[in-house]
Amino acid sequence: VTPRKMSFGINGKLNGLESKTPFLIGVSGGTASGKSTVCKRIMEKLGQVDMDHMQRQVVCISQDSFYRDLSPAEKLKAEKGQYNFDHPDAFDNDLILQTLQDILAGVKCEIPAYDYRTNSLMKDQITTIYPADVVLFEGILVFYFPKIRDLFHMKLFVDTDSDTRLARRVPRDIKERGRDLDYVLNQYMNFVKPAFEEFCLPTKKFADVIIPRGADNTVAIDLIVHHIWDILRLKKAENSSRQHPYIYQHRLA
Ligand code: CTP
């Protein structure tokens, strides 16, 4: 066993990871389950949020940045709440796959923000993702397609009760997404709820960790953060072993 293999053998999930390859974490769960908050807490606990993007060891991106451009007819439907934003085909899944593959290859990526008021990407608001040690990718359907799902080193599912999610989604969509109550409830009953049951919920079985109650579950988040720390430590050890192979071999012996 070479020292390199040994260092990664400590944790099965790390096998095959190159030191420059980020550890990729998928975070899924129904709408308003608290995915973004879970990601934010993980980043806060790792003490990354105030760091410069270039130095960051942990970054977070959203599946919403990969919504497809709508045709004029689809735009009209979306304005009336008749477009299904919860179907797997609503996303540019080839672009998701390509972007995650680039991230894993350590290639710098540019991700646009999404504007829910206009139902379109904000191509002037771009976040550059520099090669990072840990990348969180969150969204309702990030575990749906096997090719995308198989790229994650760790999969989290935020499991929040559906009444709680609806109670959060209604005021959020009215305040932050410029919708009215009728729009939100009709969209929820016609598209969001059935698509959750058909496409999102069945992907829970692929998760490595299911987080009940979302961001309120500080114990689960602490455990995950400790795991990420272990990964970063191992990667650091791996990097320094390349610089000082003798010392590293000696330590492992
Ligand atoms: N959506 C919408 N209008 C759009 C695009 C998306 O209403 N133009 C809705 C979809 O119906 C989908 C939801 O946005 O259900 C996906 O975002 P969601 O998961 O609710 O947001 P996050 O902030 O990522 O989730 P969380 O609250 O779990 O952090």
Side-chain angles (χ1 to χ4, degrees), residues 97 142-152 206:
L97 184 65
V142 299
F143 302 149
Y144 185 75
F145 289 107
K147 270 192 183 166
I148 295 174
R149 183 169 74 227
D150 290 346
L151 294 178
F152 297 114
F206 301 116

Side-chain angles (χ1 to χ4, degrees), residues 53 58 106 174 182 194 196:
H53 279 236
V58 186
I174 293 173
D182 266 4
F196 171 74

Side-chain angles (χ1 to χ4, degrees), residues 4 8 13-24 57 100-107 131-135 151 153 231-232 235 238-239 242:
R4 237 190 111 235
F8 284 112
K13 290 278 177 187
L14 285 172
N15 282 331
L17 268 181
E18 296 301 324
S19 64
K20 282 258 168 66
T21 300
F23 189 78
L24 187 59
Q57 286 178 301
L100 295 182
Q101 282 170 339
D102 282 350
I103 286 171
L104 286 172
V107 174
D133 289 332
V134 178
V135 175
L151 294 178
H153 299 112
I231 292 154
L232 294 178
K235 279 160 77 78
E238 164 70 5
N239 282 337
R242 288 195 172 161

